[in-house]
Amino acid sequence: MTGYRAPDGGPRLADAQVSADFYDVPFDPLDVPRDRFVVAGRAWRAWRAGEADPGTFGVWSEPGLRGLWLVRRNMVLDLAARHGTEPLPWDGWGRLAGPEDGAPAAEEPAPVDAVAAADDPGELRRLARDPRLAVPREIRSRAPFLGLRTVTLPAP
């Protein structure tokens, strides 16, 4: 899912993985309605409120790519992308990165709760610098074609 600005200036969501030629979707994949795709922050808030099952979030065709770990990871990736680092979907770092940790440990929801609740650009910048969320110099990448590897990012 990616966001872009349409020629009329309005924000749009596009899903490059959905083709109306192959999937029976009742919308234009280049103009996905907001109610047809739940962004990570909204999914996290719904889970915290007891309104959503985390197992319903993720890649429908891959059971291993569903759940709370994926929601929290995508929130961290989204935060990084909004602040200058565009991670790949399979990149991660720290304890908030992958499925091997299962459900969040007791100390982990607090920073992710803060990201999910933040709507002020200054607060988001502050959170992007929080050591529990910030992009480190070395990240783990699980690229499907290269396997697990460590990647050293260039110095800022």
Side-chain angles (χ1 to χ4, degrees):
M1 187 65 59
T2 189
Y4 71 98
R5 194 147 311 275
D8 67 5
R12 302 285 191 276
L13 287 177
D15 191 337
Q17 295 179 335
V18 173
S19 168
D21 295 337
F22 298 105
Y23 298 101
D24 184 23
V25 293
F27 54 83
D28 179 355
L30 297 178
D31 189 7
V32 178
R34 282 287 175 177
D35 66 344
R36 299 305 302 240
F37 182 84
V38 179
V39 295
R42 192 167 136 207
W44 184 268
R45 290 189 304 271
W47 166 72
R48 293 293 275 166
E51 299 168 353
D53 172 4
T56 64
F57 299 117
V59 180
W60 67 270
S61 62
E62 293 290 332
L65 292 177
R66 292 187 210 143
L68 192 55
W69 75 269
L70 187 64
V71 173
R72 74 173 180 216
R73 185 174 150 277
N74 283 337
M75 286 182 51
V76 174
L77 296 180
D78 290 350
L79 182 66
R82 289 184 68 168
H83 293 91
T85 301
E86 287 192 52
L88 297 170
W90 43 75
D91 292 345
W93 52 89
R95 289 189 40 91
L96 299 171
E100 62 275 0
D101 294 322
E107 72 278 5
E108 290 175 354
V112 180
D113 284 343
V115 173
D119 58 3
D120 174 68
E123 176 65 5
L124 286 167
R125 276 191 300 278
R126 185 191 71 73
L127 289 165
R129 292 188 302 269
D130 183 315
R132 297 169 295 179
L133 302 167
V135 181
R137 187 85 194 280
E138 287 190 343
I139 63 171
R140 292 185 311 230
S141 184
R142 288 184 174 86
F145 47 89
L146 293 173
L148 179 61
R149 63 192 176 110
T150 299
V151 176
T152 301
L153 302 175

